[in-house]
Each structure stands twice: as C-alpha cells, then as structure tokens.
Amino acid sequence: DLWSPDKLKNMTVNLQQAVENFVHGEEGKVSTVTQASLEKIVTTGKLYTAEYPYNGIAAVYDGDTLKYHVAYEGTVKAGIDASKILLHLDEEKHEIIIRLPAVVVEEPIVNAGTMDYIFEKNQYETETVAQEAYKAAIADLKNKVAADPNIVQTAAKTAKMYEKAFV
C-alpha cells in the first residue's frame, strides 16, 4: 500500500534528510537551491500512484469448445517513472516548474497460487493446465485494465498531488 504508515514514515525521513543535505546545508555556509539539487530530491525512481486488486474469471477455449474456467486474483500497478520528471528552477521569477511523465500501467500480476479451475470435462484436466490458465488469466486481466480508464486517471491525479505536496 503506497500510503501505509511505514512507507509514509520512510518517505518523510528520506525527504527530511534530502532537504537537510541539499537545501539547508551546513551551519555557517551559504547554500542555494539549484535545479540539480531539486532533481536529486524529487527524481528517486518509480512512483506507483495506483494499485488495484482484481478478482477475475477467464474462460479457456480449444477453438470453439470451452475447456474450463479459471478463477484468479491479480494486481495492477500504475504510476510514473520519477527519473523522467523534468524540473526547471526559474530563479528570476522564483518559480519551480515540474513536468510529470505520462502514467504507465505495469504488467499485471496474477497470483498463481490463487487459481482455481472449473472443468467442462475431466479430459481437459492435464499437466499443462496451470501454464495455459496463467496465460489466460494474464490476458483477461490485461483486457480489464485496457477497458478501465480510471486506473490511468487516478494514477495521474495522485502523482500530481504527491509531487505538489512533496515540493
């Protein structure tokens, strides 16, 4: 969970340390905020701003013949690559301009241990069913993600809020 107490505490401690190192500097020394120091603070890696759990059921066919259904649990994460955040410090106007990269939806993850099968006929229960079912579950989850615009919208909105709060 992106907003769990432990992660928030770690982000706060890391932010405080970064601010101390890059902004406040050492006592007795004059220190200025530069574009490079802001980039070091803000661009620390991938920032997942939306995570959705999914429970789904996928149908697996052999041509037109239904072989079985597979129930599964999966997760989809979306966010931005924080290393691609563009920062510009306009010292004359005293402005910080931040441009966030496009939201990227990561490959869905299916928990193979949660897969359960309902076979149409016992003949379809073979040794290779797990691999075939896993591929069907991934494809089903990808289709659900592609049809859900809320994932990208929520991730983009959260990324903007996060960056504003951070800066």
Side-chain angles (χ1 to χ4, degrees):
D1 183 19
L2 179 63
W3 302 109
S4 70
D6 289 339
K7 286 189 179 181
L8 286 174
K9 183 179 178 183
N10 287 341
M11 286 190 303
T12 302
V13 168
N14 291 341
L15 176 58
Q16 288 170 342
Q17 290 171 347
V19 169
E20 281 295 319
N21 292 339
F22 297 115
V23 178
H24 292 156
E26 294 179 35
E27 188 174 337
K29 288 188 175 181
V30 175
S31 180
T32 59
V33 178
T34 65
Q35 183 169 338
S37 65
L38 285 173
E39 286 174 355
K40 285 181 185 177
I41 292 171
V42 178
T43 59
T44 57
K46 286 189 178 180
L47 175 63
Y48 293 112
T49 55
E51 184 174 333
Y52 290 92
Y54 278 95
N55 294 321
I57 298 175
V60 179
Y61 290 89
D62 181 15
D64 291 335
T65 306
L66 176 64
K67 292 171 63 175
Y68 57 90
H69 287 91
V70 58
Y72 65 91
E73 293 177 11
T75 306
V76 175
K77 292 181 180 181
I80 60 172
D81 182 349
S83 66
K84 293 182 179 178
I85 294 172
L86 299 177
L87 295 170
H88 177 71
L89 179 63
D90 188 332
E91 293 180 26
E92 290 178 12
K93 293 182 180 178
H94 301 288
E95 291 179 341
I96 299 171
I97 300 165
I98 301 172
R99 299 208 191 281
L100 298 176
V103 169
V104 175
V105 178
E106 296 292 318
E107 277 293 309
I109 299 167
V110 170
N111 182 344
T114 64
M115 293 191 312
D116 199 11
Y117 312 96
I118 302 170
F119 293 96
E120 289 297 306
K121 294 181 181 175
N122 288 340
Q123 74 187 39
Y124 297 123
E125 190 172 353
T126 65
E127 293 176 6
T128 61
V129 74
Q131 293 173 347
E132 181 182 54
Y134 183 80
K135 289 177 185 176
I138 289 285
D140 184 65
L141 189 50
K142 283 182 180 181
N143 289 336
K144 286 181 181 179
V145 169
D148 187 354
N150 291 326
I151 293 173
V152 172
Q153 291 170 358
T154 301
K157 184 177 178 180
T158 305
K160 288 176 186 177
M161 289 182 348
Y162 179 82
E163 288 302 317
K164 282 181 185 178
F166 184 75
V167 173

